[in-house]
Amino acid sequence: MLAALLTSIAILPASAHAQADAALKQEAAAHIDGQAKKVQEMVDSIFSFSEPGFQEFKTQEYITDILAKQGFKITKGVAGIPSAWTATWGDSGPLIALGSDVDGLLGLSQYPGMTGIKPMVEGAPGHGEGHNAGMPLIVAAAIAAKDVMVKHGIKGRLMIWPGIAEELLATKAYYVKAGLFNGVDACIFTHVASGFGTGYGDGGNNGMVSVEYMFKGRTSHAAGAPWAGRSALDGVELMDIAWNFRREHLPLSQRSHYVITNGGGQPNIVPGEATVWYYFRDRSFKAIRDLYETGNKVSEAAAMATDTTVSHRILGYAAPNFGNKPMAEAAQANIETVGMPKWTADDQAFTKSVQEGLGFKVQPLADKVNPLVDPSERNSGMGGGSDDIGDIMWTVPTITIRFPSNIPSMIGHNVTSAIAMATPIAHKGAIAGAKAVAMTVLDLVTTPALLAEAKKYQQEVQFKDEKYDPVLTDEDKPAIWLNKDIMDKVRPEQAKYYYNPAKYKSYLDQLGIAYPPKN
């Protein structure tokens, strides 16, 4: 029966062939609708875990258990990163990678569904960028695509991977370096937004290198014999001053910022050790490397001036983003087919109450998907933020689909961006995004010409003027120690708030939060 079906599809005219494809996609979409309860549980559970970069162990255990029960082969600790993993399925056909970030942000603990700011656990991490919704989306899409492929005998393979420590921009370059994407034909990545769409070409953002500079001096009594000491903190401060003077003579597209992570112990001891952590961002591989080398020279000059020594280590890297046009066009067609979620009066009332309560611009949830974005519509000359999906984009044809699980007017990397992320808005947005991803997977595994076009675009357009050139060396390793201390401290308190789906229909229900809030 399957052979007859595939033969009949092959000989149908173009319009009927498109209709047959649409039938497969609608089957996948219906499958995802059937997973709506599980998607809600995943979104709410990962929100409740609120784990920062390199510490996503509860999230790892939870998601890989779900995938293992669906027949995926789980490999943990990939690329030398304990909280990283892959889940693979299939033994023949095109290999499609599906990924989304899972980490939270330090200090952004926040009750969901509230109109004001209130931490769940004081000082703990939180999902202030909404990374809790992306992996549930990917899981639902992968399961739906897999089941449709099995039912209809469609050849294809899937590899699900998590964005670990994306907020530190600290792992995807190491995934690439470890060969995690060797043999992958295409990759679909997702990121939360308040809109629904995708784009291609130069992403308009910056690549980045994250570097820690470690100064060493000599301790002494700061009052009794300061001349006997050599202040490592002086080296740090002089580097920062010198860098700030240097900014005047750097390209307008660069972004650079730092924090002093160790300034010494106490004032009456000349600091023998001090560290400063820099992000250097710019638009091209060469510009990033130039900034990095300039930073190294400035640090060495500061060490010479203070008679201290300095060493440095890379904590993360992110390549500039570049989306694949043929894949983006295919995904955009699917996004338009899916359309925006059907927002209820309660969803809109909640959105308005949050915006008004925070003093932000009142803007309703969107009712139309975004148009396909091309490079001409971006401010590509002035740079901005970074996303380490870029490293995968320069390895295999890749796109980012932005899905509508948050509300407009919120501040990025802020507690306000966590407020909607365990509400019906987040759940519905993840369902819509999952449908678009599953449909695009089916496009890729059933249409060899699409994969060929995607690879051709990468070779002839993306690689025309630049090639992947990260500053990582064989000596550089993932900074897997980061955030361990804070999680050792707060995880026991956070565990008291983990979502229990067996007992409560939603996380808001468990927390006793009305939706929308009652005035």
Side-chain angles (χ1 to χ4, degrees), residues 88 188 202 207 223 301 362 401 431 462 504:
T88 55
I188 302 172
D202 183 340
V362 174
I401 293 176
I431 290 291
Q462 183 177 354
Y504 300 97

Side-chain angles (χ1 to χ4, degrees), residues 98-393:
L98 305 174
S100 200
D101 301 323
V102 296
D103 57 323
L105 282 155
L106 294 181
L108 299 190
S109 176
Q110 169 65 30
Y111 274 94
M114 303 190 74
T115 58
I117 296 170
K118 183 181 179 182
M120 297 184 69
V121 177
E122 196 71 44
H127 276 291
E129 196 178 343
H131 285 175
N132 61 299
M135 189 50 67
L137 179 167
I138 290 295
V139 170
I143 293 171
K146 170 184 72 73
D147 288 353
V148 169
M149 290 161 67
V150 169
K151 180 179 177 181
H152 296 284
I154 299 169
K155 291 184 177 181
R157 296 171 291 155
L158 301 174
M159 181 181 82
I160 302 175
W161 57 272
I164 297 298
E166 187 277 335
E167 303 296 2
L168 298 168
L169 299 160
T171 60
K172 296 187 184 77
Y174 290 103
Y175 285 175
V176 170
K177 191 166 176 282
L180 211 63
F181 289 84
N182 291 352
V184 171
D185 292 289
C187 178
I188 302 172
F189 179 70
T190 66
H191 198 284
V192 66
S194 58
F196 195 12
T198 189
Y200 66 89
D202 183 340
N205 58 355
N206 279 330
M208 185 215 72
V209 59
S210 166
V211 193
E212 183 180 43
Y213 293 94
M214 298 157 286
F215 286 79
K216 291 190 176 181
R218 186 168 65 230
T219 63
S220 181
H221 195 299
W227 49 83
R230 297 294 181 268
S231 173
L233 179 58
D234 286 353
V236 164
E237 291 186 301
L238 194 58
M239 178 184 179
D240 296 342
I241 292 168
W243 185 261
N244 286 326
F245 273 102
R246 187 61 184 265
R247 288 179 195 272
E248 180 183 359
H249 310 290
L250 295 173
L252 293 177
S253 55
Q254 74 85 28
R255 300 287 189 275
S256 52
H257 16 268
Y258 57 85
V259 291
I260 296 174
T261 52
N262 176 16
Q266 60 190 63
N268 63 338
I269 302 174
V270 174
E273 295 184 357
T275 57
V276 60
W277 183 6
Y278 271 79
Y279 278 12
F280 299 119
R281 310 184 197 242
D282 214 324
R283 298 280 299 112
S284 69
F285 291 104
K286 181 180 184 302
I288 297 164
R289 187 178 291 276
D290 288 346
L291 275 183
Y292 171 57
E293 292 175 351
T294 300
N296 293 343
K297 286 193 290 185
V298 168
S299 74
E300 291 161 5
M304 290 177 64
T306 54
D307 200 14
T308 59
T309 61
V310 65
S311 60
H312 66 271
R313 60 184 175 184
I314 291 176
L315 300 184
Y317 182 84
N321 287 192
F322 203 106
N324 188 271
K325 183 178 180 180
M327 287 177 60
E329 290 174 337
Q332 183 68 26
N334 293 323
I335 290 167
E336 291 173 2
T337 296
V338 174
M340 290 296 287
K342 304 302 181 187
W343 307 120
T344 66
D346 284 349
D347 297 331
Q348 295 288 9
F350 169 74
T351 299
K352 184 178 180 182
S353 68
V354 172
Q355 293 165 343
E356 289 181 338
L358 296 170
F360 293 164
K361 178 183 177 182
V362 174
Q363 184 178 349
L365 295 166
D367 58 3
K368 295 180 180 178
V369 303
N370 297 332
L372 182 67
V373 178
D374 66 46
S376 68
E377 299 173 51
R378 299 188 181 102
N379 182 14
S380 297
M382 293 303 295
S386 309
D387 192 322
D388 58 356
I389 187 59
D391 294 87
I392 297 170
M393 288 175 158

Side-chain angles (χ1 to χ4, degrees), residues 52-57 60 77-78 81-85 102 162 164-165 175:
F54 293 117
Q55 306 305 316
E56 307 97 332
F57 295 107
Q60 177 194 68
V78 296
I81 302 164
S83 61
W85 50 271
V102 296
I164 297 298
Y175 285 175

